[in-house]
Amino acid sequence: MADARGISRRHMGLGAVALGGGLAFASLPADPAAAAAPTRGDGRPALRHGSAREAGLLPGPLKQLVADAEAFLQPSPRHPWYAGAVLLAGRGRTVALHKPIGMAVRYQAYDEETDTGVEFPPDRQIPMAEDTVFDLASVSKLFTSILAVQQIERGRIELEAPVASYLPDFGRAGKQGVTIRHLLTHTSGFRAWIPLYTAPTYEEKVQRVYDEALAGPPGTAYLYSDLNLISLQLVLEHVTGRRLDVLLREEITEPLGMRRTRYNPPASWKPKIAATEDARRPWSGLDRGLVWGEVHDENAYSLGGVAGHAGVFSDAWDLAVLARTLLDGGVCGRKRILRPESVELMFTDFNTAFPGDEHGLGFELYQHWYMGAMATPRTAGHTGFTGTALVLDPTTDSFLVVLGNSVHPVRSWRSGSAPRVAAANQLARAVPVRPARGRTAWFSGMASAATATLALPALDTSSGVARLSCALWWDTEPKADVLVLESSADGGTTWEPVPFTTRRPGGTAEAHPTGTATGWSGRVWHDLTAELPAAPGLVVRWRYTTDRLYVGRGAYVDGLRVEKGRRRLFDEARPADAARLRAEGWSRETG
C-alpha cells in the first residue's frame, strides 16, 4: 500500500514524534538462528546471536532502544503506536539485539463509535515472539526490486529500456517513455495509488494499470507509487514465465534459507503471524473484518495475495539474513543472489535531481524520517504501511529491523514514524566513535530541539595571528542541524562566525567560510584549522543546534589547541586548560 496517497513518503514522518495465549503454536522452525543461518564458504555462520561487545556496539544504547520501543506500547500520545513489535539490531555478522515486545494478536475488532479496540479474551491473545511473522507491506518492494536487478544481470531486462518494449499494452495513455529505471526509482509519473480491487477480474485489474495515464512526464518528478512495482511484477512474470511468488522462492528465499518468507502463508502459520487491521469501510477499501494471516493491502489482496508492491510475509531473522547478504555484496555462504556491482547500483542515488527523495534501485536512501541517525547518503532501506522497516548502513556495517503491527486494530491509531526513528537513533548511537587523539573526546549529544555549546576560556589574541586547531567529526541532519564555530569579543553579548578549513584523511582541504558544518562528513575525523579574530579577551565556542524532528549522529571535537606563533595560548591536553572549558550539553566520551 502506498504510505500516502499523492505525497512524498518522507512527509509521512512529519506526524507526531512524541512518545507518548491460549492458541496452539503452529509448527515453524523453532530457533531462528538454527533455522535460518546459512554458512559462509569458510564454514562460519552468516549470522549469529552475540553480545553488543562482540558486535562492536555499545550496550547502553541497545538497552535504551528497547526502552524507547516499549514506550510506544503506551498512548503516544492518545493510542499505542503498535500492539507489539519485534526489534533486531546487529553489526557485522552478530545480531546483538533480538527482542519481542507487546502482543502479536490483541484485538478482535475496532469500535468506531468509542474509538477503542475490542480485545480478545486473555487466553486468546498472543504475545510477540522472536519468530513472529509479519505482513511486510511495502518492504515487499525490495524483493521485487532484487528480482528485477537479477534479470538485469542476466540480460533479460535492460535498466533504460521502455517498459512497453516488454509489455506493449503498457504504452497506452502516454506511457511509452516510462523505463524500468523509472519504475525502480518512482520517477515514472504514476500517481500513488488506484483502487484496483474494484475491478472484478485479474485481467481487468491489469488493464487498469495499462490504461492509467501519468500525472506528469517520466523522469521529471519523484512520486512514490505502488503502480511502479505492480508494473515491474508484470514485466518480471512476462520475461521469466514464472509467477512472482515462484521467483521469490526460487531466486531469493530458498538460496538464502529464508524459510519464513513467502507470499500467502499457509493456514498453519496463522498463530505465529501478527494480526493487522479490522478492515472495514470507510477507512479500508474492503469489508474484511480482522485481517490475520492474509495480506492487509487491498490491491495485493485482490491480486490473489501476490503483488509487486505488497504481500510478502517474513520475520526479523529472515530479514537480517537478507540484510547481511546485501551488506556482503549479494552473497550468503556459498549462495550468491546478486553481483557486488549490482548491490552497489541498488545503493546508488539515481534521483540526484530530486533532493530529499534519494533513491537507488528499489531502495530508499538517506531518509532521516525513518532512518534517524543511521541515515547517510549510502544508508538504504524501506518501510511498510503495517509498521515495518528495514535499514542497512554500509558505512558502519550495521542493520536494523523493526517489525510492528501498527494498524492493529486500526490504521488511524498511529501517525508519523517515531518508533522507527527512535530505534535507528539508538543503533546509530551504539556504534562507537573512537577519540582522535586521546582517551576521550567532546560529544555534542543527539537531542532534538536543543542547543549545546562548548566554549574555550577568554584568550588574548590581540597581537599576531592566533590559530585554532582540533579534530572534528560531524554527521547531522543536513541544513536543519548545524555546528557553528563562533567567537565573541564582548564577553558573549554578540557572536560572529569564524571561518575554518577541514581536511579528511587523504583528502583535500575544504573551506567553511560561514563557520558552519552540516550534513554528512563521511563519519571520519577531520583536521580543522581556523584563524581567530584579534581581541584582548576573545571567547571561542562550538555551538550545535538541532530542530525538533530528526537528528544525525552528532558532532565530536578532540584536541582543542590555540597557538600564536610558537606560543601555545590553550591546549586541551594540559589538565589546567581542559578544566577551563565550559560545556553545556556536551560531554566527554571514550567511544
Side-chain angles (χ1 to χ4, degrees), residues 220-252:
T220 61
Y222 171 87
L223 179 59
Y224 180 83
S225 173
D226 289 348
L227 299 178
N228 289 316
L229 277 295
I230 294 172
S231 300
L232 193 59
Q233 170 191 2
L234 298 174
V235 172
L236 287 168
E237 293 180 340
H238 175 75
V239 301
T240 65
R242 291 176 284 173
R243 281 186 15 145
L244 191 66
D245 54 345
V246 176
L247 285 169
L248 175 70
R249 183 181 70 249
E250 294 180 351
E251 303 291 350
I252 299 178

PDB file of all heavy atoms in Angstrom, residues 220-252:
ATOM      1  N   THR A 220      10.573  13.532 -14.501  1.00  0.00           N
ATOM      2  CA  THR A 220      10.540  14.952 -14.149  1.00  0.00           C
ATOM      3  C   THR A 220      10.200  15.199 -12.680  1.00  0.00           C
ATOM      4  O   THR A 220      10.308  16.329 -12.210  1.00  0.00           O
ATOM      5  CB  THR A 220       9.525  15.703 -15.015  1.00  0.00           C
ATOM      6  OG1 THR A 220       8.219  15.155 -14.802  1.00  0.00           O
ATOM      7  CG2 THR A 220       9.891  15.592 -16.489  1.00  0.00           C
ATOM      8  N   ALA A 221       9.790  14.173 -11.957  1.00  0.00           N
ATOM      9  CA  ALA A 221       9.440  14.345 -10.545  1.00  0.00           C
ATOM     10  C   ALA A 221       9.484  12.991  -9.858  1.00  0.00           C
ATOM     11  O   ALA A 221       9.377  11.937 -10.499  1.00  0.00           O
ATOM     12  CB  ALA A 221       8.059  14.976 -10.386  1.00  0.00           C
ATOM     13  N   TYR A 222       9.667  13.041  -8.544  1.00  0.00           N
ATOM     14  CA  TYR A 222       9.564  11.831  -7.725  1.00  0.00           C
ATOM     15  C   TYR A 222       8.153  11.750  -7.160  1.00  0.00           C
ATOM     16  O   TYR A 222       7.665  12.708  -6.554  1.00  0.00           O
ATOM     17  CB  TYR A 222      10.569  11.886  -6.577  1.00  0.00           C
ATOM     18  CG  TYR A 222      10.386  10.768  -5.560  1.00  0.00           C
ATOM     19  CD1 TYR A 222      11.003   9.536  -5.734  1.00  0.00           C
ATOM     20  CD2 TYR A 222       9.588  10.949  -4.434  1.00  0.00           C
ATOM     21  CE1 TYR A 222      10.839   8.510  -4.806  1.00  0.00           C
ATOM     22  CE2 TYR A 222       9.409   9.927  -3.508  1.00  0.00           C
ATOM     23  CZ  TYR A 222      10.041   8.722  -3.700  1.00  0.00           C
ATOM     24  OH  TYR A 222       9.871   7.702  -2.788  1.00  0.00           O
ATOM     25  N   LEU A 223       7.499  10.626  -7.381  1.00  0.00           N
ATOM     26  CA  LEU A 223       6.180  10.388  -6.799  1.00  0.00           C
ATOM     27  C   LEU A 223       6.068   8.902  -6.486  1.00  0.00           C
ATOM     28  O   LEU A 223       5.993   8.066  -7.379  1.00  0.00           O
ATOM     29  CB  LEU A 223       5.070  10.812  -7.761  1.00  0.00           C
ATOM     30  CG  LEU A 223       3.634  10.580  -7.267  1.00  0.00           C
ATOM     31  CD1 LEU A 223       3.381  11.340  -5.969  1.00  0.00           C
ATOM     32  CD2 LEU A 223       2.623  11.006  -8.331  1.00  0.00           C
ATOM     33  N   TYR A 224       6.093   8.597  -5.203  1.00  0.00           N
ATOM     34  CA  TYR A 224       6.041   7.210  -4.753  1.00  0.00           C
ATOM     35  C   TYR A 224       4.725   6.580  -5.181  1.00  0.00           C
ATOM     36  O   TYR A 224       3.652   7.128  -4.927  1.00  0.00           O
ATOM     37  CB  TYR A 224       6.183   7.181  -3.234  1.00  0.00           C
ATOM     38  CG  TYR A 224       6.146   5.810  -2.629  1.00  0.00           C
ATOM     39  CD1 TYR A 224       7.284   5.021  -2.598  1.00  0.00           C
ATOM     40  CD2 TYR A 224       4.973   5.309  -2.068  1.00  0.00           C
ATOM     41  CE1 TYR A 224       7.265   3.765  -2.026  1.00  0.00           C
ATOM     42  CE2 TYR A 224       4.939   4.056  -1.496  1.00  0.00           C
ATOM     43  CZ  TYR A 224       6.081   3.286  -1.469  1.00  0.00           C
ATOM     44  OH  TYR A 224       6.051   2.033  -0.905  1.00  0.00           O
ATOM     45  N   SER A 225       4.806   5.418  -5.836  1.00  0.00           N
ATOM     46  CA  SER A 225       3.596   4.805  -6.375  1.00  0.00           C
ATOM     47  C   SER A 225       3.682   3.290  -6.346  1.00  0.00           C
ATOM     48  O   SER A 225       4.657   2.698  -6.822  1.00  0.00           O
ATOM     49  CB  SER A 225       3.362   5.260  -7.821  1.00  0.00           C
ATOM     50  OG  SER A 225       2.282   4.550  -8.403  1.00  0.00           O
ATOM     51  N   ASP A 226       2.632   2.667  -5.802  1.00  0.00           N
ATOM     52  CA  ASP A 226       2.534   1.210  -5.853  1.00  0.00           C
ATOM     53  C   ASP A 226       2.482   0.696  -7.286  1.00  0.00           C
ATOM     54  O   ASP A 226       2.908  -0.436  -7.574  1.00  0.00           O
ATOM     55  CB  ASP A 226       1.272   0.751  -5.124  1.00  0.00           C
ATOM     56  CG  ASP A 226       1.352   0.926  -3.619  1.00  0.00           C
ATOM     57  OD1 ASP A 226       2.451   1.196  -3.101  1.00  0.00           O
ATOM     58  OD2 ASP A 226       0.306   0.791  -2.958  1.00  0.00           O
ATOM     59  N   LEU A 227       1.956   1.513  -8.200  1.00  0.00           N
ATOM     60  CA  LEU A 227       1.793   1.064  -9.586  1.00  0.00           C
ATOM     61  C   LEU A 227       3.136   0.777 -10.250  1.00  0.00           C
ATOM     62  O   LEU A 227       3.206  -0.032 -11.185  1.00  0.00           O
ATOM     63  CB  LEU A 227       1.025   2.115 -10.381  1.00  0.00           C
ATOM     64  CG  LEU A 227      -0.392   2.418  -9.880  1.00  0.00           C
ATOM     65  CD1 LEU A 227      -1.039   3.511 -10.715  1.00  0.00           C
ATOM     66  CD2 LEU A 227      -1.249   1.160  -9.881  1.00  0.00           C
ATOM     67  N   ASN A 228       4.196   1.420  -9.775  1.00  0.00           N
ATOM     68  CA  ASN A 228       5.515   1.138 -10.337  1.00  0.00           C
ATOM     69  C   ASN A 228       5.910  -0.313 -10.120  1.00  0.00           C
ATOM     70  O   ASN A 228       6.374  -0.994 -11.043  1.00  0.00           O
ATOM     71  CB  ASN A 228       6.560   2.060  -9.693  1.00  0.00           C
ATOM     72  CG  ASN A 228       6.420   3.485 -10.126  1.00  0.00           C
ATOM     73  OD1 ASN A 228       6.235   3.782 -11.301  1.00  0.00           O
ATOM     74  ND2 ASN A 228       6.489   4.411  -9.174  1.00  0.00           N
ATOM     75  N   LEU A 229       5.737  -0.800  -8.897  1.00  0.00           N
ATOM     76  CA  LEU A 229       6.168  -2.164  -8.596  1.00  0.00           C
ATOM     77  C   LEU A 229       5.178  -3.206  -9.078  1.00  0.00           C
ATOM     78  O   LEU A 229       5.567  -4.339  -9.391  1.00  0.00           O
ATOM     79  CB  LEU A 229       6.425  -2.296  -7.096  1.00  0.00           C
ATOM     80  CG  LEU A 229       7.802  -1.834  -6.609  1.00  0.00           C
ATOM     81  CD1 LEU A 229       8.905  -2.712  -7.170  1.00  0.00           C
ATOM     82  CD2 LEU A 229       8.076  -0.376  -6.925  1.00  0.00           C
ATOM     83  N   ILE A 230       3.900  -2.836  -9.212  1.00  0.00           N
ATOM     84  CA  ILE A 230       2.946  -3.743  -9.847  1.00  0.00           C
ATOM     85  C   ILE A 230       3.310  -3.905 -11.319  1.00  0.00           C
ATOM     86  O   ILE A 230       3.291  -5.021 -11.867  1.00  0.00           O
ATOM     87  CB  ILE A 230       1.508  -3.217  -9.678  1.00  0.00           C
ATOM     88  CG1 ILE A 230       1.101  -3.246  -8.203  1.00  0.00           C
ATOM     89  CG2 ILE A 230       0.537  -4.023 -10.525  1.00  0.00           C
ATOM     90  CD1 ILE A 230      -0.224  -2.575  -7.909  1.00  0.00           C
ATOM     91  N   SER A 231       3.683  -2.813 -11.958  1.00  0.00           N
ATOM     92  CA  SER A 231       4.107  -2.883 -13.361  1.00  0.00           C
ATOM     93  C   SER A 231       5.371  -3.715 -13.493  1.00  0.00           C
ATOM     94  O   SER A 231       5.518  -4.507 -14.439  1.00  0.00           O
ATOM     95  CB  SER A 231       4.343  -1.472 -13.909  1.00  0.00           C
ATOM     96  OG  SER A 231       3.171  -0.692 -13.833  1.00  0.00           O
ATOM     97  N   LEU A 232       6.295  -3.544 -12.561  1.00  0.00           N
ATOM     98  CA  LEU A 232       7.536  -4.324 -12.610  1.00  0.00           C
ATOM     99  C   LEU A 232       7.238  -5.809 -12.430  1.00  0.00           C
ATOM    100  O   LEU A 232       7.886  -6.660 -13.067  1.00  0.00           O
ATOM    101  CB  LEU A 232       8.493  -3.824 -11.533  1.00  0.00           C
ATOM    102  CG  LEU A 232       9.940  -4.294 -11.635  1.00  0.00           C
ATOM    103  CD1 LEU A 232      10.565  -3.885 -12.969  1.00  0.00           C
ATOM    104  CD2 LEU A 232      10.758  -3.727 -10.474  1.00  0.00           C
ATOM    105  N   GLN A 233       6.284  -6.123 -11.575  1.00  0.00           N
ATOM    106  CA  GLN A 233       5.860  -7.520 -11.434  1.00  0.00           C
ATOM    107  C   GLN A 233       5.410  -8.091 -12.775  1.00  0.00           C
ATOM    108  O   GLN A 233       5.795  -9.210 -13.149  1.00  0.00           O
ATOM    109  CB  GLN A 233       4.712  -7.611 -10.426  1.00  0.00           C
ATOM    110  CG  GLN A 233       4.029  -8.973 -10.385  1.00  0.00           C
ATOM    111  CD  GLN A 233       2.741  -8.955  -9.582  1.00  0.00           C
ATOM    112  OE1 GLN A 233       2.326  -7.902  -9.085  1.00  0.00           O
ATOM    113  NE2 GLN A 233       2.093 -10.098  -9.452  1.00  0.00           N
ATOM    114  N   LEU A 234       4.614  -7.330 -13.512  1.00  0.00           N
ATOM    115  CA  LEU A 234       4.123  -7.810 -14.805  1.00  0.00           C
ATOM    116  C   LEU A 234       5.262  -8.039 -15.789  1.00  0.00           C
ATOM    117  O   LEU A 234       5.252  -9.007 -16.563  1.00  0.00           O
ATOM    118  CB  LEU A 234       3.120  -6.807 -15.373  1.00  0.00           C
ATOM    119  CG  LEU A 234       1.859  -6.584 -14.532  1.00  0.00           C
ATOM    120  CD1 LEU A 234       1.013  -5.459 -15.116  1.00  0.00           C
ATOM    121  CD2 LEU A 234       1.047  -7.871 -14.415  1.00  0.00           C
ATOM    122  N   VAL A 235       6.271  -7.162 -15.738  1.00  0.00           N
ATOM    123  CA  VAL A 235       7.442  -7.351 -16.606  1.00  0.00           C
ATOM    124  C   VAL A 235       8.181  -8.625 -16.222  1.00  0.00           C
ATOM    125  O   VAL A 235       8.546  -9.443 -17.081  1.00  0.00           O
ATOM    126  CB  VAL A 235       8.377  -6.132 -16.512  1.00  0.00           C
ATOM    127  CG1 VAL A 235       9.684  -6.405 -17.267  1.00  0.00           C
ATOM    128  CG2 VAL A 235       7.703  -4.883 -17.056  1.00  0.00           C
ATOM    129  N   LEU A 236       8.428  -8.799 -14.918  1.00  0.00           N
ATOM    130  CA  LEU A 236       9.167  -9.978 -14.454  1.00  0.00           C
ATOM    131  C   LEU A 236       8.445 -11.265 -14.833  1.00  0.00           C
ATOM    132  O   LEU A 236       9.081 -12.236 -15.298  1.00  0.00           O
ATOM    133  CB  LEU A 236       9.356  -9.906 -12.940  1.00  0.00           C
ATOM    134  CG  LEU A 236      10.368  -8.892 -12.435  1.00  0.00           C
ATOM    135  CD1 LEU A 236      10.251  -8.722 -10.925  1.00  0.00           C
ATOM    136  CD2 LEU A 236      11.778  -9.320 -12.809  1.00  0.00           C
ATOM    137  N   GLU A 237       7.158 -11.297 -14.626  1.00  0.00           N
ATOM    138  CA  GLU A 237       6.421 -12.519 -14.937  1.00  0.00           C
ATOM    139  C   GLU A 237       6.406 -12.792 -16.439  1.00  0.00           C
ATOM    140  O   GLU A 237       6.428 -13.956 -16.872  1.00  0.00           O
ATOM    141  CB  GLU A 237       4.999 -12.410 -14.377  1.00  0.00           C
ATOM    142  CG  GLU A 237       4.986 -12.396 -12.847  1.00  0.00           C
ATOM    143  CD  GLU A 237       3.599 -12.298 -12.245  1.00  0.00           C
ATOM    144  OE1 GLU A 237       2.664 -11.870 -12.953  1.00  0.00           O
ATOM    145  OE2 GLU A 237       3.453 -12.668 -11.065  1.00  0.00           O
ATOM    146  N   HIS A 238       6.414 -11.716 -17.245  1.00  0.00           N
ATOM    147  CA  HIS A 238       6.432 -11.892 -18.697  1.00  0.00           C
ATOM    148  C   HIS A 238       7.772 -12.431 -19.181  1.00  0.00           C
ATOM    149  O   HIS A 238       7.817 -13.376 -19.986  1.00  0.00           O
ATOM    150  CB  HIS A 238       6.119 -10.564 -19.385  1.00  0.00           C
ATOM    151  CG  HIS A 238       6.239 -10.612 -20.873  1.00  0.00           C
ATOM    152  ND1 HIS A 238       5.300 -11.225 -21.686  1.00  0.00           N
ATOM    153  CD2 HIS A 238       7.214 -10.135 -21.711  1.00  0.00           C
ATOM    154  CE1 HIS A 238       5.678 -11.131 -22.947  1.00  0.00           C
ATOM    155  NE2 HIS A 238       6.833 -10.471 -22.992  1.00  0.00           N
ATOM    156  N   VAL A 239       8.877 -11.844 -18.722  1.00  0.00           N
ATOM    157  CA  VAL A 239      10.186 -12.235 -19.267  1.00  0.00           C
ATOM    158  C   VAL A 239      10.674 -13.562 -18.715  1.00  0.00           C
ATOM    159  O   VAL A 239      11.505 -14.231 -19.344  1.00  0.00           O
ATOM    160  CB  VAL A 239      11.247 -11.139 -19.022  1.00  0.00           C
ATOM    161  CG1 VAL A 239      10.830  -9.825 -19.661  1.00  0.00           C
ATOM    162  CG2 VAL A 239      11.543 -10.959 -17.541  1.00  0.00           C
ATOM    163  N   THR A 240      10.195 -13.973 -17.534  1.00  0.00           N
ATOM    164  CA  THR A 240      10.665 -15.233 -16.943  1.00  0.00           C
ATOM    165  C   THR A 240       9.694 -16.380 -17.132  1.00  0.00           C
ATOM    166  O   THR A 240      10.087 -17.546 -17.004  1.00  0.00           O
ATOM    167  CB  THR A 240      10.899 -15.072 -15.433  1.00  0.00           C
ATOM    168  OG1 THR A 240       9.654 -14.819 -14.775  1.00  0.00           O
ATOM    169  CG2 THR A 240      11.889 -13.945 -15.157  1.00  0.00           C
ATOM    170  N   GLY A 241       8.415 -16.073 -17.403  1.00  0.00           N
ATOM    171  CA  GLY A 241       7.421 -17.129 -17.494  1.00  0.00           C
ATOM    172  C   GLY A 241       7.062 -17.738 -16.153  1.00  0.00           C
ATOM    173  O   GLY A 241       6.461 -18.818 -16.103  1.00  0.00           O
ATOM    174  N   ARG A 242       7.436 -17.072 -15.061  1.00  0.00           N
ATOM    175  CA  ARG A 242       7.138 -17.578 -13.718  1.00  0.00           C
ATOM    176  C   ARG A 242       6.391 -16.511 -12.921  1.00  0.00           C
ATOM    177  O   ARG A 242       6.644 -15.326 -13.092  1.00  0.00           O
ATOM    178  CB  ARG A 242       8.429 -17.956 -12.976  1.00  0.00           C
ATOM    179  CG  ARG A 242       9.131 -19.184 -13.539  1.00  0.00           C
ATOM    180  CD  ARG A 242      10.437 -19.432 -12.810  1.00  0.00           C
ATOM    181  NE  ARG A 242      11.484 -18.498 -13.221  1.00  0.00           N
ATOM    182  CZ  ARG A 242      12.684 -18.398 -12.648  1.00  0.00           C
ATOM    183  NH1 ARG A 242      12.978 -19.164 -11.608  1.00  0.00           N
ATOM    184  NH2 ARG A 242      13.571 -17.536 -13.093  1.00  0.00           N
ATOM    185  N   ARG A 243       5.501 -16.963 -12.034  1.00  0.00           N
ATOM    186  CA  ARG A 243       4.809 -16.020 -11.157  1.00  0.00           C
ATOM    187  C   ARG A 243       5.784 -15.422 -10.160  1.00  0.00           C
ATOM    188  O   ARG A 243       6.822 -16.015  -9.844  1.00  0.00           O
ATOM    189  CB  ARG A 243       3.672 -16.727 -10.414  1.00  0.00           C
ATOM    190  CG  ARG A 243       2.441 -16.917 -11.245  1.00  0.00           C
ATOM    191  CD  ARG A 243       1.265 -17.475 -10.465  1.00  0.00           C
ATOM    192  NE  ARG A 243       1.353 -17.434  -9.020  1.00  0.00           N
ATOM    193  CZ  ARG A 243       0.301 -17.231  -8.222  1.00  0.00           C
ATOM    194  NH1 ARG A 243      -0.901 -17.013  -8.754  1.00  0.00           N
ATOM    195  NH2 ARG A 243       0.430 -17.268  -6.918  1.00  0.00           N
ATOM    196  N   LEU A 244       5.390 -14.285  -9.633  1.00  0.00           N
ATOM    197  CA  LEU A 244       6.279 -13.572  -8.722  1.00  0.00           C
ATOM    198  C   LEU A 244       6.562 -14.373  -7.462  1.00  0.00           C
ATOM    199  O   LEU A 244       7.692 -14.351  -6.947  1.00  0.00           O
ATOM    200  CB  LEU A 244       5.662 -12.215  -8.355  1.00  0.00           C
ATOM    201  CG  LEU A 244       6.579 -11.245  -7.621  1.00  0.00           C
ATOM    202  CD1 LEU A 244       7.740 -10.803  -8.504  1.00  0.00           C
ATOM    203  CD2 LEU A 244       5.785 -10.023  -7.154  1.00  0.00           C
ATOM    204  N   ASP A 245       5.585 -15.088  -6.934  1.00  0.00           N
ATOM    205  CA  ASP A 245       5.831 -15.881  -5.731  1.00  0.00           C
ATOM    206  C   ASP A 245       6.808 -17.010  -5.998  1.00  0.00           C
ATOM    207  O   ASP A 245       7.620 -17.367  -5.124  1.00  0.00           O
ATOM    208  CB  ASP A 245       4.517 -16.403  -5.149  1.00  0.00           C
ATOM    209  CG  ASP A 245       3.672 -17.171  -6.150  1.00  0.00           C
ATOM    210  OD1 ASP A 245       3.927 -17.089  -7.371  1.00  0.00           O
ATOM    211  OD2 ASP A 245       2.728 -17.866  -5.711  1.00  0.00           O
ATOM    212  N   VAL A 246       6.766 -17.568  -7.213  1.00  0.00           N
ATOM    213  CA  VAL A 246       7.723 -18.615  -7.575  1.00  0.00           C
ATOM    214  C   VAL A 246       9.125 -18.018  -7.711  1.00  0.00           C
ATOM    215  O   VAL A 246      10.112 -18.606  -7.248  1.00  0.00           O
ATOM    216  CB  VAL A 246       7.288 -19.312  -8.880  1.00  0.00           C
ATOM    217  CG1 VAL A 246       8.332 -20.336  -9.320  1.00  0.00           C
ATOM    218  CG2 VAL A 246       5.929 -19.978  -8.701  1.00  0.00           C
ATOM    219  N   LEU A 247       9.216 -16.857  -8.338  1.00  0.00           N
ATOM    220  CA  LEU A 247      10.510 -16.182  -8.453  1.00  0.00           C
ATOM    221  C   LEU A 247      11.099 -15.894  -7.077  1.00  0.00           C
ATOM    222  O   LEU A 247      12.291 -16.107  -6.837  1.00  0.00           O
ATOM    223  CB  LEU A 247      10.353 -14.881  -9.234  1.00  0.00           C
ATOM    224  CG  LEU A 247      10.173 -14.993 -10.742  1.00  0.00           C
ATOM    225  CD1 LEU A 247       9.773 -13.648 -11.322  1.00  0.00           C
ATOM    226  CD2 LEU A 247      11.465 -15.481 -11.395  1.00  0.00           C
ATOM    227  N   LEU A 248      10.267 -15.398  -6.166  1.00  0.00           N
ATOM    228  CA  LEU A 248      10.752 -15.105  -4.821  1.00  0.00           C
ATOM    229  C   LEU A 248      11.326 -16.351  -4.168  1.00  0.00           C
ATOM    230  O   LEU A 248      12.435 -16.315  -3.597  1.00  0.00           O
ATOM    231  CB  LEU A 248       9.605 -14.550  -3.975  1.00  0.00           C
ATOM    232  CG  LEU A 248       9.928 -14.300  -2.507  1.00  0.00           C
ATOM    233  CD1 LEU A 248      10.873 -13.121  -2.357  1.00  0.00           C
ATOM    234  CD2 LEU A 248       8.651 -14.062  -1.698  1.00  0.00           C
ATOM    235  N   ARG A 249      10.611 -17.445  -4.272  1.00  0.00           N
ATOM    236  CA  ARG A 249      11.074 -18.686  -3.636  1.00  0.00           C
ATOM    237  C   ARG A 249      12.336 -19.218  -4.297  1.00  0.00           C
ATOM    238  O   ARG A 249      13.310 -19.557  -3.610  1.00  0.00           O
ATOM    239  CB  ARG A 249       9.959 -19.740  -3.702  1.00  0.00           C
ATOM    240  CG  ARG A 249      10.335 -21.047  -2.999  1.00  0.00           C
ATOM    241  CD  ARG A 249       9.234 -22.082  -3.094  1.00  0.00           C
ATOM    242  NE  ARG A 249       9.069 -22.603  -4.445  1.00  0.00           N
ATOM    243  CZ  ARG A 249       8.019 -22.378  -5.221  1.00  0.00           C
ATOM    244  NH1 ARG A 249       7.025 -21.621  -4.787  1.00  0.00           N
ATOM    245  NH2 ARG A 249       7.942 -22.911  -6.422  1.00  0.00           N
ATOM    246  N   GLU A 250      12.349 -19.261  -5.616  1.00  0.00           N
ATOM    247  CA  GLU A 250      13.465 -19.908  -6.303  1.00  0.00           C
ATOM    248  C   GLU A 250      14.719 -19.050  -6.365  1.00  0.00           C
ATOM    249  O   GLU A 250      15.834 -19.588  -6.395  1.00  0.00           O
ATOM    250  CB  GLU A 250      13.032 -20.300  -7.720  1.00  0.00           C
ATOM    251  CG  GLU A 250      11.953 -21.368  -7.739  1.00  0.00           C
ATOM    252  CD  GLU A 250      11.523 -21.754  -9.147  1.00  0.00           C
ATOM    253  OE1 GLU A 250      11.929 -21.078 -10.116  1.00  0.00           O
ATOM    254  OE2 GLU A 250      10.775 -22.744  -9.282  1.00  0.00           O
ATOM    255  N   GLU A 251      14.556 -17.726  -6.378  1.00  0.00           N
ATOM    256  CA  GLU A 251      15.705 -16.851  -6.608  1.00  0.00           C
ATOM    257  C   GLU A 251      16.235 -16.174  -5.343  1.00  0.00           C
ATOM    258  O   GLU A 251      17.358 -15.687  -5.334  1.00  0.00           O
ATOM    259  CB  GLU A 251      15.338 -15.769  -7.631  1.00  0.00           C
ATOM    260  CG  GLU A 251      14.850 -16.294  -8.971  1.00  0.00           C
ATOM    261  CD  GLU A 251      15.968 -16.970  -9.772  1.00  0.00           C
ATOM    262  OE1 GLU A 251      17.149 -16.870  -9.365  1.00  0.00           O
ATOM    263  OE2 GLU A 251      15.652 -17.586 -10.809  1.00  0.00           O
ATOM    264  N   ILE A 252      15.421 -16.142  -4.287  1.00  0.00           N
ATOM    265  CA  ILE A 252      15.871 -15.434  -3.079  1.00  0.00           C
ATOM    266  C   ILE A 252      15.737 -16.297  -1.833  1.00  0.00           C
ATOM    267  O   ILE A 252      16.731 -16.586  -1.159  1.00  0.00           O
ATOM    268  CB  ILE A 252      15.091 -14.111  -2.888  1.00  0.00           C
ATOM    269  CG1 ILE A 252      15.322 -13.165  -4.064  1.00  0.00           C
ATOM    270  CG2 ILE A 252      15.542 -13.426  -1.579  1.00  0.00           C
ATOM    271  CD1 ILE A 252      14.552 -11.848  -3.965  1.00  0.00           C
TER     272      ILE A 252
END
